[in-house]
Amino acid sequence: MPELPEVETIRRGLAPKLAGRRVLAVAAGEKRLRQQSSPAEFQQWMTGRRLKSPRRRGKYLLFNLEGGATLLIHLGMTGRLMLLPSPSPSLPHVHLVFQMEGGLDLVFQDTRRFGQALIFAPGTPPPPLAQVGREPFSKKVTPPWLAEQARGRSRPLKNFLLDGRTLAGIGNIYACEILFAAGIHPGTPISHLTLEEWGRLLKETRRVLKAAIRQGGTTVNDFLNSRGETGLFQLELRVYGREGEPCPRCGAPITRLVQAGRSTFFCPSCQK
Ligand SMILES: [Zn+2]
């Protein structure tokens, strides 16, 4: 499932190619994504208008359009956004093709259809964004602010990281890697963390996400960037998917436990 580094990788790939380009037509496939605006809405707010440079909030991609509408895209579990020469070949599971001026198609493909492609009229802030927490790289995110969010709450730290309503964009893979790097047990109740531990967690969150963006994201199952290439950060994963392998720090076997229905990989000896 694409997380912040994968969405940022896609954003960076698309921005120089799409900014300022006009949308000529929008074609919808036979099957819709679970959340997809109607062809008439895309037509009304997109056709003939220029795209501004895409932005990212958490795991959402946002394209502002000339005239003030906003296209919001979420890749769900298996969504891909690709830029292909127009006319793009007929591929399976394509739900939307945005035909751009200059001979390019922006193609949204999603085998499992958990993705979203929604257009919002000018002056309508996309409602899904109201649930998105602060960006991990924001100056407004500090160890005291995190401690404040955790006050009086006993939920496990891993679940807190995955939630997205406090810190945006972190999913299962990066939560595991961040907790390992910070040396904190994924089941620690958040109200038990010291300010020093929040500081370490924040530092490692930023370091891990930055490293992953630099490597073009992580490809474990499906992720491809806008040019159809895999990421490389999977080569640097230290605990995720490594149950039973020796911890790279101490040699103890990496352990898996299930939290909120998701697998957590951690080192029981380094992460107390
Ligand atoms: Zn270890």
Side-chain angles (χ1 to χ4, degrees):
M1 182 185 294
E3 304 181 28
L4 187 154
E6 290 74 48
V7 179
E8 180 62 20
T9 295
I10 290 190
R11 190 195 70 76
R12 291 181 183 192
L14 294 180
K17 303 267 172 57
L18 288 182
R21 233 181 254 262
R22 206 181 290 278
V23 181
L24 300 180
V26 183
E30 266 172 43
K31 279 196 174 170
R32 287 171 69 151
L33 299 165
R34 279 156 218 242
Q35 295 190 59
Q36 180 176 318
S37 294
S38 70
E41 289 172 293
F42 286 125
Q43 158 80 19
Q44 178 179 3
W45 298 114
M46 295 191 74
T47 306
R49 299 175 196 263
R50 289 180 197 281
L51 286 181
K52 305 209 167 135
S53 192
R55 296 177 293 129
R56 182 192 56 74
R57 270 293 280 130
K59 301 177 194 171
Y60 289 100
L61 271 178
L62 296 159
F63 297 84
N64 290 340
L65 286 127
E66 199 177 33
T70 306
L71 171 67
L72 173 135
I73 287 195
H74 192 285
L75 298 171
M77 299 183 71
T78 52
R80 286 175 181 167
L81 263 187
M82 295 171 292
L83 263 187
L84 302 171
S86 186
S88 47
S90 153
L91 299 167
H93 308 293
V94 165
H95 301 284
L96 285 165
V97 177
F98 301 95
Q99 192 197 342
M100 310 297 301
E101 67 181 350
L104 283 177
D105 282 353
L106 177 63
V107 176
F108 193 154
Q109 183 187 42
D110 188 355
T111 50
R112 297 191 61 185
R113 297 194 289 127
F114 284 102
Q116 300 173 31
L118 298 168
I119 186 98
F120 294 94
T124 312
L129 297 185
Q131 297 291 315
V132 181
R134 293 190 178 176
E135 291 293 325
F137 296 111
S138 161
K139 287 202 178 92
K140 288 190 196 159
V141 174
T142 61
W145 179 78
L146 288 166
E148 181 61 38
Q149 307 311 304
R151 187 179 305 189
R153 298 168 74 194
S154 58
R155 65 194 311 204
L157 179 55
K158 163 89 180 314
N159 300 4
F160 172 82
L161 284 180
L162 281 189
D163 184 314
R165 286 177 294 184
T166 307
L167 273 185
I170 300 170
N172 204 36
I173 295 177
Y174 296 105
C176 293
E177 294 298 310
I178 289 164
L179 289 168
F180 175 76
I184 304 173
H185 192 285
T188 311
I190 52 176
S191 57
H192 291 190
L193 264 74
T194 63
L195 212 50
E196 190 272 330
E197 287 172 316
W198 282 118
R200 215 156 71 218
L201 186 86
L202 181 57
K203 186 172 151 238
E204 294 302 335
T205 296
R206 289 172 172 162
R207 190 186 59 74
V208 168
L209 294 177
K210 240 182 238 176
I213 293 169
R214 215 179 299 125
Q215 299 283 15
T218 299
T219 299
V220 173
N221 293 314
D222 302 285
F223 173 71
L224 298 178
N225 69 19
S226 58
R227 289 187 299 273
E229 302 157 344
T230 65
L232 287 173
F233 194 69
Q234 63 277 13
L235 304 175
E236 295 184 24
L237 297 176
R238 302 179 76 195
V239 288
Y240 182 84
R242 297 192 182 279
E243 183 181 13
E245 293 179 31
C247 164
R249 203 180 279 147
C250 76
I254 299 297
T255 300
R256 183 176 74 93
L257 74 92
V258 175
Q259 294 180 288
R262 313 290 305 275
S263 285
T264 299
F265 299 90
F266 74 108
C267 171
S269 141
C270 294
Q271 293 172 259
K272 297 283 190 194

